[in-house]
Amino acid sequence: MRAIRAASAALLGAAALALTTPAVAMATAAAPVTPFGFAVTPSVIAAGGQVTLTVTGCSSTATATSGVFDDTVIPSGGSARASIFWDAKPGAMYEVTFTCNGEEGTTDLTIAGGTPAPTPTRTATPTPTPPASPAATRTPTSSSTAIAPPGGVKGGLGGSFIGMNGTELAVGTGLVAAAALGTVLVVRRRSANRQH
């Protein structure tokens, strides 16, 4: 009976480890490692907005290029701001390429969905006013245009999440495996004490 419990616990632990291993391999393959760090904040922005381009670990000036803003020079170890073109397509994802000492790294920048410019839901129409008599007093009037929001709130990480690296995923996998092993040992110890 003990062999069945031990075998099922071992298989459960192996399955948990096997399910987390592809995530580490995929993250490592998907994100090529560069000798410098880079980020675009925020990673989702409306057309016409400004993003901050940051480069760390670069010994010289770096450049950031994309089809959605002008080429930007970033000082060594610093950051620079770039204005997104007004005609950027809402919902589109643009690649931003950072270059430092001949090495390149890329990340994505998404243009927030909706319309790039506010769309009025109703417009004020002028109405002719009858000529006023000299005795009548005139009060100023004002008209307004209601602006409809283009959609729901665009929630997200707001540029605070750059990505995971293989080391973080491996440490997380190790912690999960250690927790599973600790659970197996506690359950085995309790089951051994209950048998008479």
Side-chain angles (χ1 to χ4, degrees):
M1 194 69 168
R2 272 190 168 179
I4 293 173
R5 288 183 190 160
S8 63
L11 285 174
L12 183 62
L17 185 61
L19 290 175
T20 57
T21 303
V24 173
M26 188 172 68
T28 306
V33 179
T34 59
F36 61 95
F38 53 89
V40 176
T41 51
S43 61
V44 177
I45 190 159
Q50 284 195 338
V51 292
T52 302
L53 307 165
T54 307
V55 174
T56 57
C58 184
S59 60
S60 65
T61 58
T63 58
T65 58
S66 180
V68 74
F69 57 80
D70 290 326
D71 292 358
T72 306
V73 176
I74 305 167
S76 176
S79 62
R81 296 187 63 80
S83 296
I84 305 301
F85 297 146
W86 278 104
D87 60 350
K89 183 178 177 188
M93 185 177 294
Y94 292 88
E95 186 174 81
V96 179
T97 303
F98 291 88
T99 307
C100 171
N101 297 327
E103 297 278 341
E104 287 187 351
T106 61
T107 188
D108 292 327
L109 175 64
T110 304
I111 305 303
T115 56
T119 305
T121 56
R122 70 175 177 89
T123 57
T125 56
T127 55
T129 56
S133 65
T137 59
R138 296 187 122 185
T139 57
T141 60
S142 64
S143 64
S144 64
T145 303
I147 305 295
V153 174
K154 303 296 182 207
L157 298 172
S160 63
F161 181 74
I162 295 175
M164 288 211 156
N165 60 28
T167 305
E168 290 173 341
L169 290 172
V171 169
T173 302
L175 291 173
V176 169
L181 179 63
T183 303
V184 168
L185 291 176
V186 168
V187 169
R188 285 188 68 201
R189 192 174 294 172
R190 284 188 181 173
S191 65
N193 290 340
R194 289 184 185 213
Q195 292 180 354
H196 298 294

